Amino acid sequence: MAEETVFSKILKGDIPCEEVYRDNECLAFRDVQPQAPVHILVIPQKSIPSLREAETKDKKLLGHLLLVASTIANKEGLDSWRTVINTGASAGQTVFHLHVHIIGGRSLSWPPG
Ligand code: 5GP
């Protein structure tokens, strides 16, 4: 069975979140520690620890997450934004339930730290 994470608890409703979108495949909510005026996380309902564990059968789901991210960013009124998927601890991943960050509302530098 998949390990419990803070995001699986959010999905079950055990931890509250500021929800912005939900469907049968994913949930989107505001990051509790926003790094920009808009910082939203899109997570699959299905428990996948990181992009590393995603499989060919998840192809449609992965596309869905990105399209949902784009729809949300547009609804938030962003004319530019960054989508980030941290994979692995040294890349900054702290929650091991796949998630797409939507970060926007300020200028973003490149390369990221
Ligand atoms: P990661 O560092 O794994 O790419 O991103 C995890 C994100 O989840 C972080 O930006 C962190 O602030 C956010 N986060 C961690 N715990 C919670 C929580 O309980 N609620 C919400 N809304 N976000 C959380």
Side-chain angles (χ1 to χ4, degrees):
M1 207 177 103
E3 229 168 272
E4 268 221 316
T5 65
V6 67
F7 291 173
S8 62
K9 289 179 188 166
I10 286 175
L11 281 167
K12 281 197 290 177
D14 292 347
I15 294 178
C17 72
E18 198 180 326
E19 183 175 320
V20 297
Y21 176 82
R22 180 191 287 268
D23 64 25
N24 288 336
E25 291 169 286
C26 70
L27 170 68
F29 53 90
R30 295 191 193 277
D31 197 292
V32 78
Q33 272 191 294
Q35 302 302 314
V38 175
H39 189 171
I40 293 168
L41 303 168
V42 186
I43 72 172
Q45 299 270 356
K46 177 182 174 182
S47 177
I48 303 172
S50 79
L51 193 56
R52 196 196 317 276
E53 287 79 20
E55 300 176 73
T56 306
K57 66 182 180 208
D58 300 316
K59 196 190 282 190
K60 248 184 99 178
L61 174 61
L62 295 176
H64 184 64
L65 297 177
L66 289 180
L67 289 173
V68 165
S70 176
T71 301
I72 290 171
N74 280 309
K75 272 201 184 134
E76 293 286 319
L78 299 175
D79 56 8
S80 58
W81 67 86
R82 187 170 293 166
T83 44
V84 174
I85 302 175
N86 294 323
T87 303
S90 53
Q93 187 176 9
T94 57
V95 179
F96 286 81
H97 182 116
L98 176 65
H99 49 283
V100 180
H101 294 257
I102 305 165
I103 300 166
R106 66 166 170 84
S107 289
L108 299 167
S109 59
W110 192 263

